[in-house]
Amino acid sequence: MNFEFAKQINSYLEQHNFDKALNIAQTALRKIPTTTFHTVLDKSLVAHADDLASWVEDFYNLATKKNKVEALYFEMNEFDINTDLWYIDCFSYSNDGGLNLDDMEWLCDFDTDSQTETDTVFELGGYEELQDAFENVELDTDDLQNARDWCEQIIIARFMELMTTTHKIAKAKKFCWGMVPIYFTEHSYDFMLKSDA
């Protein structure tokens, strides 16, 4: 993870200004000679939003049969090293600990019987060429390393855009989980967002 690149867009992501964040990242990537990582350009994940909203509604309905649900947390798997499948996990919480990037330990206390199982995660399709690039491209030049790093930032921004859009759809469709605050990030990343839709 290139934290210098992340710093350039994270403040816009915090404001849910995905257009600005993506514009900065994509402009930087376009300045680098073309690589396979450039296939991420203008490739949105938002097409998954309707299916994802329904998937979360099903998960929420199952979770509420076991526990009160006051918050949901979503994680995209570590896509840069888990290249065979990109997916989203969901966890439910009976207490909402709030967003404090210096202390998110409450996320460790998810309801163990209210998490997605390996066979029920939400798969993200359409990025197979990039999955192959993360698996196989040798980073033997600065340009390739920078292209990969900007591609990572774009994917994270696209995932966050997807989650925010999905939450808005859930609220508009009056899905039960649309009124629950959600938190989301990539696995092992120390930056996350919250949506109250």
Side-chain angles (χ1 to χ4, degrees):
M1 184 67 60
N2 187 316
F3 294 103
E4 290 304 312
F5 289 0
K7 282 181 189 176
Q8 294 181 48
I9 67 169
N10 281 356
S11 62
Y12 297 106
L13 294 176
E14 286 175 331
Q15 300 165 32
H16 293 201
N17 188 344
F18 301 106
D19 288 343
K20 180 69 173 175
L22 286 162
N23 184 52
I24 291 168
Q26 292 189 136
T27 297
L29 181 56
R30 284 188 176 100
K31 290 178 181 175
I32 300 169
T34 302
T35 68
T36 310
F37 295 109
H38 284 67
T39 60
V40 76
L41 292 169
D42 300 314
K43 189 161 189 165
S44 177
L45 283 170
V46 171
H48 293 287
D50 282 312
D51 289 341
L52 179 56
S54 296
W55 176 81
V56 177
E57 180 73 353
D58 291 342
F59 169 80
Y60 178 87
N61 289 334
L62 285 173
T64 54
K65 288 179 182 175
K66 301 170 184 175
N67 296 293
K68 172 178 72 169
V69 177
E70 295 292 325
L72 294 171
Y73 169 60
F74 298 87
E75 230 178 44
M76 182 175 178
N77 67 322
E78 249 178 310
F79 59 86
D80 57 327
I81 59 174
N82 296 295
T83 56
D84 55 332
L85 179 66
W86 289 359
Y87 62 86
I88 299 170
D89 272 323
C90 185
F91 305 84
S92 71
Y93 298 82
S94 52
N95 293 299
D96 178 7
L99 181 63
N100 175 358
L101 293 179
D102 294 325
D103 183 14
M104 295 300 292
E105 287 301 311
W106 66 272
L107 289 175
C108 297
D109 297 326
F110 60 90
D111 301 317
T112 54
D113 56 352
S114 297
Q115 69 183 76
T116 48
E117 301 296 332
T118 306
D119 60 343
T120 58
V121 295
F122 186 86
E123 296 183 19
L124 294 168
Y127 276 67
E128 289 76 15
E129 190 172 2
L130 285 169
Q131 289 168 247
D132 184 65
F134 278 104
E135 176 73 27
N136 296 308
V137 172
E138 294 283 335
L139 304 175
D140 51 9
T141 68
D142 287 344
D143 281 341
L144 278 168
Q145 182 65 60
N146 288 335
R148 182 186 192 276
D149 290 347
W150 276 119
C151 181
E152 272 188 299
Q153 293 304 314
I154 291 167
I155 292 167
I156 290 169
R158 289 289 186 196
F159 165 65
M160 292 179 167
E161 176 187 44
L162 168 63
M163 292 312 308
T164 303
T165 301
T166 302
H167 203 201
K168 288 177 181 173
I169 287 171
K171 195 167 193 173
K173 290 186 173 182
K174 301 192 184 317
F175 285 170
C176 296
W177 73 277
M179 303 305 292
V180 175
I182 68 168
Y183 301 82
F184 42 95
T185 191
E186 179 208 9
H187 181 73
S188 294
Y189 194 34
D190 62 358
F191 176 79
M192 78 173 52
L193 295 184
K194 176 185 179 182
S195 171
D196 292 311

